[in-house]
Amino acid sequence: MPELVLVTGGTGYIAGWCVAELLRRGYDVRTTVRSPGRQQAVTDAVSTVCDPDGRLGFAVADLTADAGWEAAMKGVERVLHVASPLGVSAQSPDLVTPAREGTLRVLRAATAAGVRRVVMTSAANTASPSSYASEGVTDETLWTDPEDPALIPYRRSKTLAELAAWEFMRGHHGPTELATVLPGAVFGPVLTADAAGSVGIIARMLSGAMPGVPRIGLEVVDVRDLVDVHLRAMTSPAAAGERFLATGEFVWMADLARFLREGLGERGQQVPTRRLPDFAVRFAARFRDPALREITPALGRRNRHTTEKAARLLGWQPRPARETVLDCAESLLAHGAVPVPAAQRP
């Protein structure tokens, strides 16, 4: 009988791909949704790349509440904890509590059920210099300092959630094992038209909604490669108790624009090529768009990570950034997920 794997947050971009790939590899899958009304959307999304064939089930559970998690874990052998709490924004005064408490809810339920292994999705910026003031290449031994007052709320929440997970497991003496995966900027094909997260950057570039490209560097990882490293961490004996960076090639946003313009021809003509000077981005962040404040510390920085550990212990290798970005763009266009700027609407 195939193993049953629980994936948290099946409506999410990464989680949807996790569900699809697990099914494709022959696992039985259960995924959590916040309400029964979301089940069909997950089934429809997954069905675009594989046939669920009666092997996909659902559990109603929310990271912000205890209800449903015991039932979600029943009969489960392994867990991919991919979901992040919803209902909060980057400008929320408290991202930490829902992120940390949601993680602990999953771990409490998993350990109580005797799950063999939990793989948690963290973020590469939990293993980065806190202030971006220094540059270089870092590995999994570095932890972002969550007490740094300059740290943006998102980075603090991801760091404290992962720290809480490891602290919880240090006090657990049962059979459950933990591994964490720390991705960079996740791009690649989408399963639905609801582009979210970093994929939305590509959609905005294609639409011409961006006036230019800031001097921001990204470590691009393909969602398909990210799912692959999750599954390797889920099954490899060497992964127990380990963190794994899952970043890809470092590229500037100007490189993303070049990939799109060159690779898409006429369909990429709305992609901006003008490079925004740092002072213009800082000015806009201060007076026009407060959401930009979270990227200004990274302007011009080349903070990078090494994935040597994932390669050595798991045999993992990400694909080139250009391939990922173009596959992402083609998918967004095929799904009609590129927004039409207000100035171009009839």
Side-chain angles (χ1 to χ4, degrees), residues 9-27:
T11 56
Y13 176 45
I14 299 171
W17 273 105
C18 285
V19 171
E21 184 60 15
L22 284 163
L23 290 169
R24 195 184 69 81
R25 296 191 190 190
Y27 290 93

Side-chain angles (χ1 to χ4, degrees), residues 27-322:
Y27 290 93
D28 288 342
V29 181
R30 180 183 297 149
T31 189
T32 63
V33 290
R34 292 192 300 160
S35 67
R38 299 295 291 158
Q39 295 179 11
Q40 190 60 48
V42 177
T43 301
D44 292 345
V46 169
S47 297
T48 63
V49 293
C50 72
D51 182 3
D53 191 28
R55 293 180 294 115
L56 174 60
F58 295 90
V60 177
D62 191 320
L63 290 175
T64 62
D66 292 334
W69 287 106
E70 181 180 354
M73 295 290 174
K74 187 175 181 180
V76 168
E77 292 286 327
R78 305 175 192 271
V79 174
L80 299 184
H81 176 39
V82 186
S84 293
L86 300 178
V88 292
S89 71
Q91 302 304 312
S92 170
D94 183 17
L95 292 177
V96 172
T97 300
R100 181 173 54 202
E101 294 305 312
T103 294
L104 292 176
R105 279 190 177 90
V106 172
L107 289 176
R108 289 189 196 103
T111 53
V115 167
R116 293 170 60 185
R117 183 172 296 172
V118 177
V119 179
M120 171 187 172
T121 310
S122 184
N125 60 25
T126 68
S128 303
S130 299
S131 64
Y132 288 118
S134 59
E135 296 187 10
V137 180
T138 57
D139 63 17
E140 294 88 349
T141 62
L142 178 70
W143 280 91
T144 297
D145 177 9
E147 303 305 318
D148 186 333
L151 206 64
I152 62 174
Y154 173 78
R155 290 187 65 196
R156 179 175 289 109
S157 71
K158 296 298 285 188
T159 303
L160 288 174
E162 191 188 349
L163 283 168
W166 288 116
E167 179 65 25
F168 176 89
M169 293 305 295
R170 278 192 289 272
H172 169 68
H173 305 291
T176 306
E177 300 167 333
L178 176 66
T180 58
V181 173
L182 287 56
V186 185
F187 296 124
V190 298
L191 297 177
T192 70
D194 299 323
S198 50
V199 176
I201 297 172
I202 304 298
R204 292 190 67 218
M205 294 177 80
L206 290 170
S207 73
M210 295 177 62
V213 288
R215 203 161 57 104
I216 296 292
L218 304 170
E219 291 174 299
V220 173
V221 62
D222 194 291
V223 66
R224 296 163 293 187
D225 295 334
L226 180 57
V227 171
D228 179 56
V229 76
H230 274 75
L231 269 59
R232 290 171 186 257
M234 184 184 81
T235 56
S236 171
E242 301 289 348
R243 307 175 83 199
F244 293 99
L245 279 159
T247 55
E249 182 182 353
F250 180 94
V251 293
W252 297 102
M253 286 194 67
D255 296 319
L256 301 186
R258 177 170 53 83
F259 296 157
L260 295 169
R261 297 276 291 205
E262 294 176 355
L264 296 177
E266 291 186 1
R267 294 176 300 159
Q269 293 309 299
Q270 296 295 324
V271 175
T273 57
R274 183 169 72 94
R275 302 192 185 193
L276 298 176
D278 293 353
F279 77 85
V281 178
R282 292 191 176 98
F283 180 86
R286 184 173 181 182
F287 298 106
R288 297 179 183 174
D289 187 354
L292 292 175
R293 292 173 188 168
E294 299 203 354
I295 71 169
T296 55
L299 287 169
R301 300 292 181 185
R302 287 181 54 87
N303 299 101
R304 289 158 294 153
H305 302 85
T306 175
T307 57
E308 185 276 334
K309 183 177 178 180
R312 173 170 47 85
L313 294 184
L314 303 179
W316 182 72
Q317 185 68 39
R319 70 194 73 195
R322 186 179 190 276

